[in-house]
Amino acid sequence: MAWKSVLLCLVAVTAFAAWSWANDEEAVPTRITAERLRYDHHKHQIEFIGNVHVDRPNFQLRSERLLIFLRTLPREDRPEDVSVEQDMEAQVDIDKMIALGKVFLKHEERIGHGDMATYWVDQGVLRLEGNAIVEGGGTKLEGNVITLNVQEKEVDVQGRKDRRVEGVFMLPREQGEQ
């Protein structure tokens, strides 16, 4: 039974490829390193602790902790042509992921910083909290909470009590401007 838990943990880690700021249908190599890993079968949770690094093509994540919350897929949502060896993989999916402590995200040319990042896989929603900054393409957004809805292409930025939302945008010059 212990080998099944380890297999489930490894399957969930490889499923982490779902976390990028765009929807990719094909699997890509994903490497996660940390000082410690804990898997809790009863909580359906994997936790990477200490100097967490997630690396995949065009995406990097750095944080102090990373929590991955799993869910069991309903039987009707599981692939039909699955061997016994692949059955554990076919049963689980990632529900959400939370990165905590000195969060740094980089996807292609976009960079995000914050104290905490939460990503809801099904909704394609990423929320950065605590001194949140998102930069890319000449645009910089700062606030207490920045929510990016990848599927709907929406951004919501909430200010801090002591400071308003700030946005810096690269706009074309007006005629006559030097």
Side-chain angles (χ1 to χ4, degrees), residues 22-38:
N23 294 328
D24 294 330
E25 289 299 322
E26 65 183 66
V28 295
T30 301
R31 179 180 178 168
I32 303 175
T33 59
E35 294 170 9
R36 185 173 176 195
L37 177 142
R38 282 196 305 217

Side-chain angles (χ1 to χ4, degrees), residues 138-168:
T139 300
K140 180 178 180 179
L141 299 172
E142 292 186 52
N144 189 47
V145 178
I146 300 175
T147 304
L148 304 160
N149 186 323
V150 177
Q151 293 176 357
E152 300 296 325
K153 295 181 174 47
E154 297 174 346
V155 178
D156 180 44
V157 183
Q158 298 174 23
R160 304 175 192 126
K161 289 181 182 177
D162 62 332
R163 195 166 151 197
R164 294 166 42 110
V165 169
E166 183 174 336
V168 177

Side-chain angles (χ1 to χ4, degrees), residues 45-111:
Q45 180 178 312
I46 302 169
E47 181 177 16
F48 292 89
I49 305 163
N51 198 19
V52 178
H53 287 219
V54 178
D55 292 295
R56 58 177 286 175
N58 297 321
F59 178 79
Q60 290 86 43
L61 165 77
R62 305 291 181 258
S63 65
E64 292 301 313
R65 289 177 54 210
L66 176 63
L67 297 164
I68 300 175
F69 296 87
L70 306 172
R71 64 179 165 176
T72 303
L73 292 173
R75 175 97 30 220
E76 62 272 8
D77 290 344
R78 297 179 195 170
E80 292 178 18
D81 320 352
V82 175
S83 69
V84 175
E85 292 81 24
Q86 296 172 320
D87 190 46
M88 293 295 286
E89 183 176 343
Q91 292 182 28
V92 296
D93 201 359
I94 296 176
D95 183 33
K96 71 177 175 180
M97 294 170 273
I98 301 174
L100 301 160
K102 300 176 187 172
V103 176
F104 169 83
L105 299 161
K106 182 175 186 208
H107 178 258
E108 296 174 354
E109 298 305 314
R110 290 177 283 192
I111 295 175

